[in-house]
Amino acid sequence: MIRPAFGLCAHCLKASKHSSILAQKRLFPRLPVRSLQTQPFQPFAPPSPSSLGKPIPAKNYRRTRRWLRRLTYLTLGTAVLYGVDRQFYASSITRSVRTFGLGLIVALDYKINFRPNPPLAASIPALHARNAERLAGLLQSNGGLYLKIGQAIAMQSAVLPPEFQKMFAKMFDDAPQNDWKDVERVIREDFGKSPEEVFGISFNGDPSKGMMERTARASASVAQVHWARLQDGSEVAVKVQKREIAHQVGWDLWSFKVVTKIYTYWFDLPLYSLVPFIIERLMLETDFVNEADNAERMGRFVAGEPRLRDKVYVPRVYRDLSSTRVMTAEWIEGVRLWDKENLTKPWEGGWRQGSPGCHGAALDPPKSEEVTEIVRSNLINERLKPDRDWWKGKDGQGGLGLSLKDVMTTMIDLFSAQMFLWGWVHCDPHPGNIFIRRLPSGKPELVLIDHGLYVHMKPEFRHQYCLFWKSLMTFDNKTLGRIVQGWGINNADIFASATLMRPYTGGDNSTSAEIRKGLTGKEQQERAYEMQQKMRKGIKDILADEKKWPQELIFIGRNLRIVQGNNQFLGSPVNRIKITGNWASRSLVDSPELSMSQRFKNLGNHLLFKFVLFGSDVYFYAAKVKQFFGAGGGMEDDMELQMKKIAKDFGVELNHGVFEG
């Protein structure tokens, strides 16, 4: 065999040539095979553009970049808006957005699921529970005036589902207090001077100056209270509005207005017409000059009424130390109404001696060495006010030794006089705004504070309201119907029950018959749903003519509900309905706006009315006998039980829970 000069056989050479062609095909796939075979040793060259096909433009992701820019701008804009809102508007816009968002969610939830068999909820109670939790969270998060709304809901809880009652039961808890720097800033803005200059105080223990606690003694939704001793030794309560309220109040009330407007339209309830009056009252509550005016007016009313002047006390206001956002009043030492234990424990303070500060007596000052010790030991934690609990005895187990019957009688007398005699009604008489002290006579003295929320009843309406209550007690349905019809109310029966806080049995029972109609034999879910639909119709009947309806009844009803809750909490020691009715009838005799002939005629009717009240006493004492033997909780509990039984027949559960938490 002949071998080539390269040392390869012909077979190997052929295989090498084939491998070279395959390599060229891999490098230049678009060139024809023939050219690769005929030109095996052609030098390497890039392919021509025409052989590579049509060019494809590179991706620039314009849409993605556009949306990324929009997202960046939105994020930056939101951050700037949030910062400006938080810095200059006390988060008012954020709070409003939060309110609208949650309000829409709740409205949609009820619109979709409020039916006998909810499609997106296990049951109607489950629907109520989740929305109550949402609303309670909103009120707590927003704070400020929203807490006032929560308190109003808590006090009206008897007509709400139990899920709402449980969630709002803690709305009386103290609100968070602001830092001292915010308090100091409000004082400087209102007076143009520092707290030291305004109140004549010192924070470094100067004995020639007064003193003040930087830590608040109490904090509510709108303001907080600091204790102070002035240079003359007088102890005062300095009520300072929270700095953010001035920025928030306009936004909060606007949000409330818009949400109510939407709900009025969406759920077909005549609520929006009440909003302007409510907003006006809440705006006045943030004006401490108005509160000082109310306090001084109520003090004059009490001083001029022999039945109350020795039983009720309104703290003195220091006008020269007060402004629109700061109010300085006399410091009150006393026992809160909800402290039933300290109200009733035996008195150990001494014979013919009253509790500290009773009826405006000067508080016993601490000795000079005690002041030095207080300043030295407590300046850091700022609890400077001396304790005055000597009346509890050496073992600290004593109390005011008061009769709950006397306490509650004084309270109902006071608020009845406001409604029926004077026409100026304190609309926030919850237990935190009432102190009780012991007089040297051993009788209670009621101290009323927080005079920001009042309504004024014009003489004509006040006389109508007196006659309305008197007609309730005598079952005078003709007069009752005439009065409520003049107020634009179509259903006297249901309005009478709402006023008495118990079923009104003197009417034609049309409401009860209408409610029961069609409910027999239905499942619990259907009964509950239809009952709540009928209750909505009842609200529309009460607010039938919005132009005639006296808007003062919103807050008067709140007053009645709170007083009833106070009586119930103390064990129903008095016949609340009898005392209230007696004041209504007697006020038609004492009212100076009426002519002498009218007053003389009303006097004769009042004497007859006293005999009618005997029937109410029979009911009251029967309830007391049952209570004594452990078979009941008193008259208020019995009336509530009646309401609960009736409601349960309709598939609705009623609870109070006013003082829980």
Side-chain angles (χ1 to χ4, degrees), residues 37 121 187 266 310 370 412 431 440 460 463 530 598-599 639:
Q37 293 174 344
I187 294 173
W266 206 338
D310 295 325
E370 291 178 349
I412 297 174
E460 181 182 1
H463 296 154
E530 291 193 21
Q598 287 176 308
R599 293 170 66 180
M639 290 191 299

Side-chain angles (χ1 to χ4, degrees), residues 270-283:
L271 301 175
Y272 186 71
S273 61
L274 308 177
V275 169
F277 183 76
I278 295 174
I279 287 178
E280 180 187 3
R281 296 299 98 194
L282 292 177
M283 284 292 289

Side-chain angles (χ1 to χ4, degrees), residues 538-596:
I539 294 174
K540 294 176 71 173
D541 285 341
I542 291 178
L543 301 175
D545 192 333
E546 302 169 37
K547 295 180 180 179
K548 292 182 180 179
W549 202 80
Q551 296 181 329
E552 296 86 352
L553 290 173
I554 303 170
F555 293 102
I556 292 172
R558 171 182 166 85
N559 178 293
L560 290 170
R561 171 68 189 97
I562 297 175
V563 172
Q564 185 221 14
N566 293 340
N567 190 35
Q568 186 175 359
F569 175 73
L570 295 180
S572 303
V574 298
N575 185 346
R576 172 184 58 89
I577 292 177
K578 175 191 172 182
I579 297 173
T580 306
N582 189 56
W583 271 91
S585 179
R586 180 56 191 262
S587 296
L588 291 171
V589 180
D590 298 333
S591 180
E593 295 89 2
L594 298 175
S595 65
M596 287 301 298

